[in-house]
Amino acid sequence: MSPASAYAPGRVEFLGNHTDYNQGVVLAAAIDRGLTVAGISRQDEAIIFTSKTSGAGIQTSLQRLQQQADERWANYPLGVVQQFLNEGYELRGFAAEVSGDVPAGAGLSSSAAFEVATAGLLMKLHEIRMEPLAIAKLCQRAENEFVGVQSGLLDQVTSVFGRANHLVYLDCQSEEVRTIPFPAGFALVIAESGVRHSLVAGEYNRRREECTAAAEALGAESLRDVTPDHLELARASLDPVLYQRAAHIVGENDRVWRAVNALAEADVAEVGVLMNASHESSRTNFENSTPELDQMVTIAQSLPGVLGSRLTGGGFGGGTVTLVEAAEAEEVVEALRAKYAEASGHRPAAFVCQIADGAAAAWKL
Ligand code: GLA
């Protein structure tokens, strides 16, 4: 039995916040940070996962896949194992180690990178072939069913379909995935607010429930099918909180479509304006920002060379993404670190991110 390994990148959500599980549209990119899961098959049914970074480890078995209450990080790969079993694949036991450089809890989807890399390892160890979209959906089910986070398809699709120097456009209703060139001469800066979030903590699932309730109250199958006009007409009869949640989703879908058009016309300034509007809507409508994220975004927006800035990912902590002129990118990183540290007392991790290939390209699928 020979060892194998699979790499999958983290992702940054560029625009389209919480739209994925509302059947909406989103723009994201795979980043040049990710996780590798390396392993080898065993003669028995044991499954062993260890984390190179933390030194932690778990052991369970194929017959009794158990959720890990103490080592929650292990539920992401174990959920993937469970989905392979559900699909009828005959797996052998294996021992695997995860390593990499995408920070957990920073809004860069280390979880999807972990799931996708685990799927890649299982495919290699067992010579299984699967279509890229099927891999992404299997990993999403792992997160929904085993980890218990009702997340959408954004993270896994981006980790699988990412392409160097391109944004990934995902339409969650039609499941169309395509890549759009990232504008030349511009770059993305990612910064961590230093406040860790845990999607499992419940806020995320609560937002999802509120969105479902809003769609129901509006007589729509999902918020994807609600137009801005429809929403405004119904406003008076809608619970104010549900109106706010719906306004965020309807607005985000609209901003994604406008950004796609603006990118086609090389109107990068307009894309920045849309990112700023997205953050404002997170802050006021969806209430998934935090004072730290607001502060970080406000600082970024004040810096020379910045076109727009917003929180990225689930929110409730995590990090921000900032669109900058490439020539100013390193200075923006320095100034953002210094000013945020001055304001908050916490020196944030911030870096210029290269938009990288996703797992499908790395595995030559
Ligand atoms: C998290 C989820 C994604 C998506 C974003 C918000 O990253 O995992 O599915 O909902 O939040 O856009």
mmCIF file of all heavy atoms in Angstrom, residues 71-113:
data_model
loop_
_atom_site.group_PDB
_atom_site.id
_atom_site.type_symbol
_atom_site.label_atom_id
_atom_site.label_comp_id
_atom_site.label_asym_id
_atom_site.label_seq_id
_atom_site.Cartn_x
_atom_site.Cartn_y
_atom_site.Cartn_z
ATOM 1 N N GLU A 71 -12.435 16.906 19.909
ATOM 2 C CA GLU A 71 -11.563 17.282 18.789
ATOM 3 C C GLU A 71 -12.453 17.578 17.577
ATOM 4 O O GLU A 71 -12.513 16.811 16.624
ATOM 5 C CB GLU A 71 -10.578 16.147 18.479
ATOM 6 C CG GLU A 71 -9.706 15.733 19.647
ATOM 7 C CD GLU A 71 -8.635 16.761 19.988
ATOM 8 O OE1 GLU A 71 -8.408 17.694 19.197
ATOM 9 O OE2 GLU A 71 -8.029 16.634 21.062
ATOM 10 N N ARG A 72 -13.127 18.725 17.654
ATOM 11 C CA ARG A 72 -14.137 19.018 16.634
ATOM 12 C C ARG A 72 -13.572 19.146 15.230
ATOM 13 O O ARG A 72 -14.258 18.884 14.239
ATOM 14 C CB ARG A 72 -14.880 20.321 16.989
ATOM 15 C CG ARG A 72 -15.863 20.133 18.108
ATOM 16 C CD ARG A 72 -16.361 21.468 18.629
ATOM 17 N NE ARG A 72 -17.393 21.248 19.623
ATOM 18 C CZ ARG A 72 -18.685 21.362 19.370
ATOM 19 N NH1 ARG A 72 -19.096 21.717 18.180
ATOM 20 N NH2 ARG A 72 -19.563 21.118 20.316
ATOM 21 N N TRP A 73 -12.314 19.578 15.137
ATOM 22 C CA TRP A 73 -11.668 19.730 13.836
ATOM 23 C C TRP A 73 -11.749 18.429 13.034
ATOM 24 O O TRP A 73 -11.799 18.436 11.806
ATOM 25 C CB TRP A 73 -10.202 20.154 14.009
ATOM 26 C CG TRP A 73 -9.402 19.171 14.817
ATOM 27 C CD1 TRP A 73 -9.286 19.141 16.179
ATOM 28 C CD2 TRP A 73 -8.655 18.050 14.333
ATOM 29 N NE1 TRP A 73 -8.520 18.074 16.567
ATOM 30 C CE2 TRP A 73 -8.102 17.389 15.453
ATOM 31 C CE3 TRP A 73 -8.377 17.546 13.059
ATOM 32 C CZ2 TRP A 73 -7.314 16.243 15.344
ATOM 33 C CZ3 TRP A 73 -7.585 16.412 12.943
ATOM 34 C CH2 TRP A 73 -7.069 15.767 14.081
ATOM 35 N N ALA A 74 -11.761 17.292 13.759
ATOM 36 C CA ALA A 74 -11.737 15.998 13.071
ATOM 37 C C ALA A 74 -13.086 15.650 12.449
ATOM 38 O O ALA A 74 -13.181 14.729 11.627
ATOM 39 C CB ALA A 74 -11.301 14.909 14.044
ATOM 40 N N ASN A 75 -14.150 16.373 12.827
ATOM 41 C CA ASN A 75 -15.463 16.055 12.256
ATOM 42 C C ASN A 75 -15.536 16.394 10.764
ATOM 43 O O ASN A 75 -16.321 15.789 10.033
ATOM 44 C CB ASN A 75 -16.571 16.772 13.025
ATOM 45 C CG ASN A 75 -16.742 16.174 14.418
ATOM 46 O OD1 ASN A 75 -16.530 14.970 14.604
ATOM 47 N ND2 ASN A 75 -17.100 17.003 15.381
ATOM 48 N N TYR A 76 -14.714 17.347 10.315
ATOM 49 C CA TYR A 76 -14.745 17.695 8.880
ATOM 50 C C TYR A 76 -14.276 16.515 8.033
ATOM 51 O O TYR A 76 -15.008 16.069 7.142
ATOM 52 C CB TYR A 76 -13.914 18.957 8.622
ATOM 53 C CG TYR A 76 -14.490 20.175 9.321
ATOM 54 C CD1 TYR A 76 -14.010 20.598 10.557
ATOM 55 C CD2 TYR A 76 -15.548 20.880 8.748
ATOM 56 C CE1 TYR A 76 -14.563 21.696 11.202
ATOM 57 C CE2 TYR A 76 -16.100 21.980 9.388
ATOM 58 C CZ TYR A 76 -15.604 22.381 10.624
ATOM 59 O OH TYR A 76 -16.166 23.451 11.261
ATOM 60 N N PRO A 77 -13.089 15.950 8.290
ATOM 61 C CA PRO A 77 -12.689 14.795 7.469
ATOM 62 C C PRO A 77 -13.543 13.557 7.724
ATOM 63 O O PRO A 77 -13.826 12.799 6.793
ATOM 64 C CB PRO A 77 -11.228 14.560 7.870
ATOM 65 C CG PRO A 77 -11.090 15.176 9.217
ATOM 66 C CD PRO A 77 -12.007 16.367 9.205
ATOM 67 N N LEU A 78 -13.975 13.368 8.982
ATOM 68 C CA LEU A 78 -14.781 12.177 9.262
ATOM 69 C C LEU A 78 -16.126 12.259 8.528
ATOM 70 O O LEU A 78 -16.651 11.250 8.054
ATOM 71 C CB LEU A 78 -15.015 12.014 10.772
ATOM 72 C CG LEU A 78 -13.773 11.629 11.587
ATOM 73 C CD1 LEU A 78 -14.109 11.541 13.077
ATOM 74 C CD2 LEU A 78 -13.181 10.301 11.097
ATOM 75 N N GLY A 79 -16.654 13.458 8.431
ATOM 76 C CA GLY A 79 -17.902 13.645 7.673
ATOM 77 C C GLY A 79 -17.720 13.247 6.219
ATOM 78 O O GLY A 79 -18.627 12.687 5.594
ATOM 79 N N VAL A 80 -16.542 13.524 5.690
ATOM 80 C CA VAL A 80 -16.258 13.149 4.294
ATOM 81 C C VAL A 80 -16.186 11.627 4.168
ATOM 82 O O VAL A 80 -16.753 11.037 3.241
ATOM 83 C CB VAL A 80 -14.945 13.814 3.814
ATOM 84 C CG1 VAL A 80 -14.548 13.308 2.435
ATOM 85 C CG2 VAL A 80 -15.101 15.336 3.806
ATOM 86 N N VAL A 81 -15.532 11.001 5.131
ATOM 87 C CA VAL A 81 -15.462 9.528 5.118
ATOM 88 C C VAL A 81 -16.887 8.966 5.127
ATOM 89 O O VAL A 81 -17.233 8.067 4.349
ATOM 90 C CB VAL A 81 -14.671 9.006 6.353
ATOM 91 C CG1 VAL A 81 -14.737 7.486 6.429
ATOM 92 C CG2 VAL A 81 -13.225 9.488 6.290
ATOM 93 N N GLN A 82 -17.724 9.523 5.988
ATOM 94 C CA GLN A 82 -19.107 9.035 6.075
ATOM 95 C C GLN A 82 -19.834 9.170 4.729
ATOM 96 O O GLN A 82 -20.561 8.274 4.313
ATOM 97 C CB GLN A 82 -19.870 9.804 7.151
ATOM 98 C CG GLN A 82 -21.259 9.246 7.379
ATOM 99 C CD GLN A 82 -22.107 10.153 8.244
ATOM 100 O OE1 GLN A 82 -22.239 11.349 7.977
ATOM 101 N NE2 GLN A 82 -22.662 9.590 9.292
ATOM 102 N N GLN A 83 -19.603 10.285 4.049
ATOM 103 C CA GLN A 83 -20.291 10.482 2.761
ATOM 104 C C GLN A 83 -19.811 9.483 1.713
ATOM 105 O O GLN A 83 -20.599 9.016 0.895
ATOM 106 C CB GLN A 83 -20.076 11.917 2.259
ATOM 107 C CG GLN A 83 -20.824 12.968 3.060
ATOM 108 C CD GLN A 83 -22.335 12.750 3.087
ATOM 109 O OE1 GLN A 83 -22.922 12.284 2.113
ATOM 110 N NE2 GLN A 83 -22.966 13.074 4.199
ATOM 111 N N PHE A 84 -18.520 9.164 1.717
ATOM 112 C CA PHE A 84 -18.030 8.141 0.782
ATOM 113 C C PHE A 84 -18.716 6.807 1.072
ATOM 114 O O PHE A 84 -19.108 6.086 0.145
ATOM 115 C CB PHE A 84 -16.498 7.987 0.884
ATOM 116 C CG PHE A 84 -15.742 8.931 -0.007
ATOM 117 C CD1 PHE A 84 -15.608 10.266 0.325
ATOM 118 C CD2 PHE A 84 -15.153 8.488 -1.189
ATOM 119 C CE1 PHE A 84 -14.913 11.155 -0.490
ATOM 120 C CE2 PHE A 84 -14.451 9.365 -2.018
ATOM 121 C CZ PHE A 84 -14.331 10.696 -1.665
ATOM 122 N N LEU A 85 -18.873 6.496 2.359
ATOM 123 C CA LEU A 85 -19.546 5.237 2.722
ATOM 124 C C LEU A 85 -21.004 5.283 2.275
ATOM 125 O O LEU A 85 -21.526 4.322 1.709
ATOM 126 C CB LEU A 85 -19.451 4.999 4.235
ATOM 127 C CG LEU A 85 -18.035 4.767 4.791
ATOM 128 C CD1 LEU A 85 -18.052 4.696 6.316
ATOM 129 C CD2 LEU A 85 -17.414 3.490 4.212
ATOM 130 N N ASN A 86 -21.660 6.435 2.500
ATOM 131 C CA ASN A 86 -23.064 6.586 2.077
ATOM 132 C C ASN A 86 -23.226 6.379 0.576
ATOM 133 O O ASN A 86 -24.251 5.889 0.103
ATOM 134 C CB ASN A 86 -23.591 7.986 2.415
ATOM 135 C CG ASN A 86 -23.820 8.170 3.891
ATOM 136 O OD1 ASN A 86 -23.669 7.229 4.663
ATOM 137 N ND2 ASN A 86 -24.153 9.386 4.299
ATOM 138 N N GLU A 87 -22.196 6.801 -0.175
ATOM 139 C CA GLU A 87 -22.248 6.661 -1.634
ATOM 140 C C GLU A 87 -21.976 5.220 -2.067
ATOM 141 O O GLU A 87 -21.990 4.910 -3.249
ATOM 142 C CB GLU A 87 -21.202 7.566 -2.296
ATOM 143 C CG GLU A 87 -21.438 9.048 -2.105
ATOM 144 C CD GLU A 87 -22.624 9.557 -2.910
ATOM 145 O OE1 GLU A 87 -22.674 9.289 -4.118
ATOM 146 O OE2 GLU A 87 -23.506 10.191 -2.298
ATOM 147 N N GLY A 88 -21.651 4.375 -1.110
ATOM 148 C CA GLY A 88 -21.444 2.961 -1.423
ATOM 149 C C GLY A 88 -20.007 2.575 -1.743
ATOM 150 O O GLY A 88 -19.739 1.458 -2.178
ATOM 151 N N TYR A 89 -19.071 3.501 -1.529
ATOM 152 C CA TYR A 89 -17.668 3.149 -1.780
ATOM 153 C C TYR A 89 -17.161 2.250 -0.664
ATOM 154 O O TYR A 89 -17.460 2.486 0.509
ATOM 155 C CB TYR A 89 -16.797 4.412 -1.864
ATOM 156 C CG TYR A 89 -17.098 5.250 -3.068
ATOM 157 C CD1 TYR A 89 -17.709 6.502 -2.937
ATOM 158 C CD2 TYR A 89 -16.805 4.789 -4.347
ATOM 159 C CE1 TYR A 89 -18.004 7.274 -4.048
ATOM 160 C CE2 TYR A 89 -17.090 5.555 -5.464
ATOM 161 C CZ TYR A 89 -17.694 6.793 -5.309
ATOM 162 O OH TYR A 89 -17.986 7.549 -6.405
ATOM 163 N N GLU A 90 -16.412 1.248 -1.044
ATOM 164 C CA GLU A 90 -15.845 0.346 -0.040
ATOM 165 C C GLU A 90 -14.477 0.863 0.354
ATOM 166 O O GLU A 90 -13.532 0.802 -0.431
ATOM 167 C CB GLU A 90 -15.762 -1.064 -0.603
ATOM 168 C CG GLU A 90 -17.145 -1.656 -0.739
ATOM 169 C CD GLU A 90 -17.144 -3.138 -0.988
ATOM 170 O OE1 GLU A 90 -16.078 -3.767 -0.845
ATOM 171 O OE2 GLU A 90 -18.216 -3.635 -1.338
ATOM 172 N N LEU A 91 -14.400 1.391 1.548
ATOM 173 C CA LEU A 91 -13.145 1.997 2.000
ATOM 174 C C LEU A 91 -12.376 1.042 2.898
ATOM 175 O O LEU A 91 -12.975 0.204 3.586
ATOM 176 C CB LEU A 91 -13.432 3.292 2.776
ATOM 177 C CG LEU A 91 -14.218 4.389 2.071
ATOM 178 C CD1 LEU A 91 -14.291 5.626 2.973
ATOM 179 C CD2 LEU A 91 -13.600 4.771 0.724
ATOM 180 N N ARG A 92 -11.059 1.202 2.876
ATOM 181 C CA ARG A 92 -10.215 0.526 3.859
ATOM 182 C C ARG A 92 -9.902 1.534 4.962
ATOM 183 O O ARG A 92 -10.060 2.741 4.776
ATOM 184 C CB ARG A 92 -8.896 0.092 3.205
ATOM 185 C CG ARG A 92 -9.029 -1.090 2.264
ATOM 186 C CD ARG A 92 -7.666 -1.485 1.733
ATOM 187 N NE ARG A 92 -7.075 -0.440 0.908
ATOM 188 C CZ ARG A 92 -7.309 -0.286 -0.412
ATOM 189 N NH1 ARG A 92 -8.112 -1.119 -1.039
ATOM 190 N NH2 ARG A 92 -6.742 0.683 -1.091
ATOM 191 N N GLY A 93 -9.441 1.023 6.101
ATOM 192 C CA GLY A 93 -8.978 1.930 7.134
ATOM 193 C C GLY A 93 -7.755 2.694 6.639
ATOM 194 O O GLY A 93 -7.125 2.292 5.659
ATOM 195 N N PHE A 94 -7.446 3.788 7.272
ATOM 196 C CA PHE A 94 -6.266 4.565 6.857
ATOM 197 C C PHE A 94 -5.807 5.470 7.997
ATOM 198 O O PHE A 94 -6.565 5.741 8.938
ATOM 199 C CB PHE A 94 -6.568 5.395 5.603
ATOM 200 C CG PHE A 94 -7.606 6.452 5.816
ATOM 201 C CD1 PHE A 94 -7.261 7.752 6.150
ATOM 202 C CD2 PHE A 94 -8.960 6.161 5.684
ATOM 203 C CE1 PHE A 94 -8.231 8.730 6.358
ATOM 204 C CE2 PHE A 94 -9.936 7.130 5.885
ATOM 205 C CZ PHE A 94 -9.561 8.415 6.218
ATOM 206 N N ALA A 95 -4.567 5.888 7.889
ATOM 207 C CA ALA A 95 -4.018 6.867 8.829
ATOM 208 C C ALA A 95 -3.625 8.093 8.024
ATOM 209 O O ALA A 95 -2.987 7.965 6.972
ATOM 210 C CB ALA A 95 -2.803 6.296 9.539
ATOM 211 N N ALA A 96 -4.032 9.274 8.484
ATOM 212 C CA ALA A 96 -3.750 10.487 7.707
ATOM 213 C C ALA A 96 -3.322 11.624 8.621
ATOM 214 O O ALA A 96 -3.681 11.672 9.799
ATOM 215 C CB ALA A 96 -4.988 10.889 6.921
ATOM 216 N N GLU A 97 -2.555 12.511 8.036
ATOM 217 C CA GLU A 97 -2.108 13.690 8.778
ATOM 218 C C GLU A 97 -2.441 14.932 7.966
ATOM 219 O O GLU A 97 -2.237 14.962 6.751
ATOM 220 C CB GLU A 97 -0.595 13.623 8.990
ATOM 221 C CG GLU A 97 -0.067 14.812 9.778
ATOM 222 C CD GLU A 97 1.451 14.804 9.888
ATOM 223 O OE1 GLU A 97 2.126 14.962 8.851
ATOM 224 O OE2 GLU A 97 1.947 14.641 11.007
ATOM 225 N N VAL A 98 -2.964 15.956 8.655
ATOM 226 C CA VAL A 98 -3.274 17.213 7.963
ATOM 227 C C VAL A 98 -2.223 18.255 8.330
ATOM 228 O O VAL A 98 -1.808 18.368 9.481
ATOM 229 C CB VAL A 98 -4.702 17.711 8.306
ATOM 230 C CG1 VAL A 98 -4.890 17.929 9.803
ATOM 231 C CG2 VAL A 98 -5.014 18.998 7.543
ATOM 232 N N SER A 99 -1.799 18.994 7.323
ATOM 233 C CA SER A 99 -0.857 20.088 7.573
ATOM 234 C C SER A 99 -1.196 21.220 6.609
ATOM 235 O O SER A 99 -1.880 21.003 5.610
ATOM 236 C CB SER A 99 0.575 19.614 7.332
ATOM 237 O OG SER A 99 0.698 19.180 5.994
ATOM 238 N N GLY A 100 -0.726 22.394 6.906
ATOM 239 C CA GLY A 100 -0.981 23.485 5.969
ATOM 240 C C GLY A 100 -0.927 24.840 6.621
ATOM 241 O O GLY A 100 -0.572 24.965 7.794
ATOM 242 N N ASP A 101 -1.311 25.843 5.853
ATOM 243 C CA ASP A 101 -1.112 27.202 6.341
ATOM 244 C C ASP A 101 -2.353 28.076 6.211
ATOM 245 O O ASP A 101 -2.249 29.298 6.192
ATOM 246 C CB ASP A 101 0.075 27.843 5.605
ATOM 247 C CG ASP A 101 -0.146 27.881 4.095
ATOM 248 O OD1 ASP A 101 -1.205 27.412 3.625
ATOM 249 O OD2 ASP A 101 0.748 28.372 3.383
ATOM 250 N N VAL A 102 -3.527 27.452 6.099
ATOM 251 C CA VAL A 102 -4.719 28.303 6.099
ATOM 252 C C VAL A 102 -5.266 28.329 7.527
ATOM 253 O O VAL A 102 -5.580 27.289 8.106
ATOM 254 C CB VAL A 102 -5.760 27.875 5.024
ATOM 255 C CG1 VAL A 102 -6.031 26.410 5.035
ATOM 256 C CG2 VAL A 102 -7.057 28.636 5.160
ATOM 257 N N PRO A 103 -5.289 29.508 8.136
ATOM 258 C CA PRO A 103 -5.675 29.571 9.545
ATOM 259 C C PRO A 103 -7.147 29.192 9.759
ATOM 260 O O PRO A 103 -7.993 29.493 8.912
ATOM 261 C CB PRO A 103 -5.430 31.037 9.915
ATOM 262 C CG PRO A 103 -5.407 31.787 8.625
ATOM 263 C CD PRO A 103 -4.973 30.824 7.568
ATOM 264 N N ALA A 104 -7.430 28.525 10.861
ATOM 265 C CA ALA A 104 -8.816 28.156 11.182
ATOM 266 C C ALA A 104 -9.526 29.360 11.789
ATOM 267 O O ALA A 104 -8.923 30.157 12.505
ATOM 268 C CB ALA A 104 -8.819 26.985 12.150
ATOM 269 N N GLY A 105 -10.798 29.522 11.492
ATOM 270 C CA GLY A 105 -11.591 30.577 12.121
ATOM 271 C C GLY A 105 -11.337 31.973 11.578
ATOM 272 O O GLY A 105 -11.802 32.959 12.141
ATOM 273 N N ALA A 106 -10.613 32.060 10.463
ATOM 274 C CA ALA A 106 -10.277 33.382 9.925
ATOM 275 C C ALA A 106 -11.199 33.768 8.768
ATOM 276 O O ALA A 106 -11.000 34.794 8.131
ATOM 277 C CB ALA A 106 -8.830 33.401 9.466
ATOM 278 N N GLY A 107 -12.185 32.933 8.488
ATOM 279 C CA GLY A 107 -13.097 33.233 7.388
ATOM 280 C C GLY A 107 -12.530 32.820 6.044
ATOM 281 O O GLY A 107 -13.012 33.251 5.003
ATOM 282 N N LEU A 108 -11.497 31.973 6.045
ATOM 283 C CA LEU A 108 -10.868 31.560 4.787
ATOM 284 C C LEU A 108 -11.169 30.099 4.453
ATOM 285 O O LEU A 108 -10.554 29.506 3.572
ATOM 286 C CB LEU A 108 -9.349 31.781 4.858
ATOM 287 C CG LEU A 108 -8.950 33.232 5.114
ATOM 288 C CD1 LEU A 108 -7.439 33.354 5.274
ATOM 289 C CD2 LEU A 108 -9.432 34.130 3.973
ATOM 290 N N SER A 109 -12.113 29.557 5.184
ATOM 291 C CA SER A 109 -12.617 28.217 4.916
ATOM 292 C C SER A 109 -11.557 27.118 4.961
ATOM 293 O O SER A 109 -11.415 26.324 4.028
ATOM 294 C CB SER A 109 -13.353 28.180 3.583
ATOM 295 O OG SER A 109 -14.313 27.168 3.659
ATOM 296 N N SER A 110 -10.855 27.079 6.058
ATOM 297 C CA SER A 110 -9.973 25.936 6.288
ATOM 298 C C SER A 110 -10.805 24.665 6.313
ATOM 299 O O SER A 110 -10.331 23.589 5.944
ATOM 300 C CB SER A 110 -9.231 26.103 7.613
ATOM 301 O OG SER A 110 -10.150 26.275 8.665
ATOM 302 N N SER A 111 -12.074 24.799 6.729
ATOM 303 C CA SER A 111 -12.934 23.611 6.803
ATOM 304 C C SER A 111 -13.152 22.992 5.425
ATOM 305 O O SER A 111 -13.015 21.782 5.249
ATOM 306 C CB SER A 111 -14.273 23.970 7.451
ATOM 307 O OG SER A 111 -14.807 25.120 6.858
ATOM 308 N N ALA A 112 -13.465 23.813 4.429
ATOM 309 C CA ALA A 112 -13.676 23.261 3.081
ATOM 310 C C ALA A 112 -12.372 22.702 2.528
ATOM 311 O O ALA A 112 -12.364 21.649 1.891
ATOM 312 C CB ALA A 112 -14.241 24.328 2.145
ATOM 313 N N ALA A 113 -11.258 23.388 2.796
ATOM 314 C CA ALA A 113 -9.964 22.882 2.326
ATOM 315 C C ALA A 113 -9.710 21.500 2.921
ATOM 316 O O ALA A 113 -9.249 20.579 2.233
ATOM 317 C CB ALA A 113 -8.846 23.845 2.718
#
